[in-house]
Amino acid sequence: MVTKLFELLKQIHKVQAELELKAKEEDRQLTFYEKFFTKNSCNSIKSLLNTNKLDLAIAIIMTDNPDLDFDSVTQIVSDNRTLFENENHQILSQLAITLTSLYNTGMYNTIKDKLKSNNKISAEELALEEVLTVLLFDNIVSVLNLDRQKFVPFMDLFVSYNKSVSNALVVSGVMNDIEEKYKRYMQALEMFEAEEGQKVPAKKQNKVFLEILEKDINPEALLKIIKRTRDYYENKKHEQKAKDRRYLKLQNAYSTLEKEIYQNITSGTEIKNIDKLLGQIEDASIRKQALEVIYLHNQKIYDKALEENRQLLANSKSRYQALLAQYGISPEDYAVGTIMNNSIEDVQTMLEYLTSMNIKSSSDILKILKSSNLDTISTYKELVDKGIITTDLLLNTKLFNPNQPVYKDFMHNLELIKKTKLNPYIFTAADVVLTTNHKTFEQGIDTLIDYYLLDRLKTGMNCRFLGTKNLDLAIDTLLELDLEPILEENIELLNYANRFERLRLLKAIDMPPSSEEEIKKALSAEHFFVADKEIGNYIYNSAQYNLPSNVILQKSDKKKNSDINRLEEYSATPRTYNIGGVTFSKNKTARNLASIASTGKVSDRLLYGLLKDTVLTEDELTQVASIIAPHKVLKTSKKQLHM
């Protein structure tokens, strides 16, 4: 491994050196632009008077053709400097037109060969229609006093990159025109100042000159061409900065890789979490070498750890400690002693089951191992595997301890589900209800049986209402609000039992919800138009009837009072009576009658059984009393109902 490490470090150093050279490598074209625009602002007509025309021409040509050889362009422009430094716009435009015409008519190569050999062009060699163009070209070359052989590379550059070279000629010609006009203007200005005997302010000088200039020249078009060159320079500068950042990032990645590998190997620690760093290494061979070195180094550490584990297994206690260590658990000696009440094989299985149920916390696993056993854990695993409960429920570690009340409640509730032959998957969506106090849970099941609602429990529903105390009162409320059909369709409404007073209020203000959607909307809203604790004060047209003081109440034994049979003629549904248009819960009435001592008239007791804990308006009270006990004259109290 030492040899492989040495080769890896050697390769990293080689790549780092190459990156350093690339980072320092000068972009001569960018350097040229930086120097040019540092010296020449080129942002106004006045600034162009002092601009280096040769450099500007080179910059314009390179802008559209960045792949051109910079040195070659510089040499060609310098060899023909008189074009760019001295000639006016008209001559240079005529030169461009003539060169284009020569190329388009196919005479270009002939003319070029003549120029190379420094021979004069004879009219006899040409067709009649070509004579004028060629003679014009020869005349221009002669007038400009150009070095014919040095002019040939310029011609090639022109025909190959016509647009950019034409722009360079146009800009140079216009700049030469501006220079000439400026000289004449300054001469005229000196004469004017001499005659007038006073100086013209510089600001006014510039203004007058620009006004004169704009009559013959379009400054905006000229500056637009130059702006493209500046924009190209800015983009190139931005690209160079991005390239510099990339080189720096790569250099840092290689340095970090070298440091990570070297330090971990020398310290004998495992090399891990290095995937992201390797992803930043562009050289595939270095990535491969690094992975080989890391594998060999880590394997050595793993082999050592394996040997240490084998030694730990030499005695019984060490075997338990070694097993627990595999799961990141380092218990105190007394905890190990407790866990050793289970066989090593059972502990192994328990650990596997617990981790498969997504219990990963070492402290939680330790709590469970100290207080539970394989049978209990196996039971939970079976329930999870079947999808009856979720692993989230088992985050409560007390569920694994047979001595904890929540464990006893859970197991009792499971047994009740089997006894009542309920589908256990009914409780999966709200499996926390299985941890409810078993008496409350059993009472909830019994209540559903009493109200013929047990078959309304379906898989996938949220039945946490089974953990609600006094579930019967909640059902009574919905029945007496004439919401029985909706309750049958959606028993999950019972989850909102603590908000049923909202429904009473809506009925009291003649806005009772008529559909399941309206009910759910009213109950599920976090904020109601009246605070829940204030609703009792707003049920202004309903009140609770107070039983006479001579009515003796007794503890209900839930036995059905035979007097209730007299109410069967008012039976509306298996769950309700309807007396004079007012709905009463049969089960509530039966409970009330069982709590009223059998004294006085039967009709009175029936009336009291109906009215006890019932909210009615004065009209409803009178209507019901007139039917059940006509001889009674009743009044409601002003005390409002609170559930």
Side-chain angles (χ1 to χ4, degrees), residues 357 376-391 393-394 410-411 414 418 424-425 428 431 434:
M357 291 186 288
T376 299
I377 294 172
S378 298
T379 298
Y380 286 123
K381 185 176 188 304
E382 182 181 359
L383 292 171
V384 169
D385 290 345
K386 288 181 177 180
I388 294 172
I389 63 172
T390 64
T391 56
L393 181 68
L394 300 180
F410 183 88
M411 293 303 172
L414 278 183
K418 292 179 185 177
Y425 293 97
T428 304
D431 54 3
L434 297 175

Side-chain angles (χ1 to χ4, degrees), residues 174-191:
V174 172
M175 287 175 64
N176 290 332
D177 287 351
I178 292 172
E179 237 176 53
E180 182 61 29
K181 288 179 184 294
Y182 188 74
K183 284 181 183 177
R184 292 177 184 175
Y185 172 74
M186 292 306 295
Q187 289 172 358
L189 186 63
E190 287 176 5
M191 293 173 61

Side-chain angles (χ1 to χ4, degrees), residues 99-122:
L99 280 173
T100 303
S101 180
L102 287 173
Y103 185 80
N104 291 338
T105 56
M107 295 183 289
Y108 176 77
N109 289 327
T110 301
I111 299 300
K112 189 170 76 168
D113 291 339
K114 292 289 184 181
L115 288 174
K116 280 184 178 178
S117 59
N118 214 17
N119 292 328
K120 283 283 184 178
I121 303 166
S122 173

Side-chain angles (χ1 to χ4, degrees), residues 94-299:
Q94 187 61 57
L95 174 62
I97 293 169
T98 305
L99 280 173
T100 303
S101 180
L102 287 173
Y103 185 80
N104 291 338
T105 56
M107 295 183 289
Y108 176 77
N109 289 327
T110 301
I111 299 300
K112 189 170 76 168
D113 291 339
K114 292 289 184 181
L115 288 174
K116 280 184 178 178
S117 59
N118 214 17
N119 292 328
K120 283 283 184 178
I121 303 166
S122 173
E124 289 77 17
E125 298 175 32
L126 307 170
L128 183 62
E129 64 271 13
E130 300 170 343
V131 171
L132 185 61
T133 300
V134 173
L135 291 179
L136 177 61
F137 173 76
D138 190 59
N139 182 54
I140 292 172
V141 172
S142 299
V143 169
L144 296 179
N145 196 25
L146 296 171
D147 185 322
R148 291 170 177 258
Q149 291 187 345
K150 289 183 178 180
F151 187 64
V152 171
F154 175 83
M155 291 171 59
D156 286 339
L157 184 67
F158 179 89
V159 297
S160 298
Y161 306 96
N162 182 278
K163 182 180 178 181
S164 54
V165 178
S166 292
N167 283 340
L169 288 173
V170 168
V171 171
S172 297
V174 172
M175 287 175 64
N176 290 332
D177 287 351
I178 292 172
E179 237 176 53
E180 182 61 29
K181 288 179 184 294
Y182 188 74
K183 284 181 183 177
R184 292 177 184 175
Y185 172 74
M186 292 306 295
Q187 289 172 358
L189 186 63
E190 287 176 5
M191 293 173 61
F192 172 82
E193 288 177 342
E195 290 175 3
E196 295 295 324
Q198 59 180 5
K199 289 282 184 181
V200 177
K203 191 173 182 180
K204 188 173 182 180
Q205 289 180 22
N206 293 337
K207 182 180 179 183
V208 173
F209 176 66
L210 288 176
E211 289 174 353
I212 294 171
L213 195 62
E214 285 176 354
K215 293 177 181 178
D216 302 316
I217 296 171
N218 182 359
E220 294 301 321
L222 181 66
L223 293 173
K224 187 176 180 180
I225 294 173
I226 298 173
K227 183 180 182 302
R228 287 187 68 254
T229 301
R230 178 179 284 279
D231 291 343
Y232 169 74
Y233 158 62
E234 293 295 337
N235 288 335
K236 193 167 182 62
K237 185 166 61 172
H238 178 75
E239 290 171 1
Q240 184 61 44
K241 287 181 179 179
K243 192 184 293 183
D244 291 342
R245 287 194 297 271
R246 175 177 169 271
Y247 286 144
L248 180 61
K249 186 178 179 180
L250 282 172
Q251 286 176 315
N252 289 338
Y254 283 107
S255 297
T256 304
L257 179 64
E258 178 186 3
K259 180 181 177 182
E260 284 290 319
I261 291 177
Y262 183 78
Q263 286 186 349
N264 281 284
I265 287 178
T266 53
S267 64
T269 53
E270 181 184 358
I271 302 173
K272 53 187 178 181
N273 301 327
I274 206 165
D275 294 354
K276 187 175 179 181
L277 179 58
L278 284 175
Q280 297 174 17
I281 304 299
E282 292 185 350
D283 192 307
S285 63
I286 289 182
R287 288 201 303 271
K288 182 180 177 183
Q289 285 177 279
L291 286 170
E292 288 176 353
V293 169
I294 292 168
Y295 171 80
L296 292 172
H297 170 68
N298 285 351
Q299 190 59 48

Side-chain angles (χ1 to χ4, degrees), residues 312-323 336 340 344:
L312 282 173
L313 294 176
N315 60 73
S316 178
K317 189 172 184 179
S318 297
R319 289 182 66 195
Y320 281 89
Q321 289 173 326
L323 176 59
V336 176
M340 286 174 66
I344 191 73

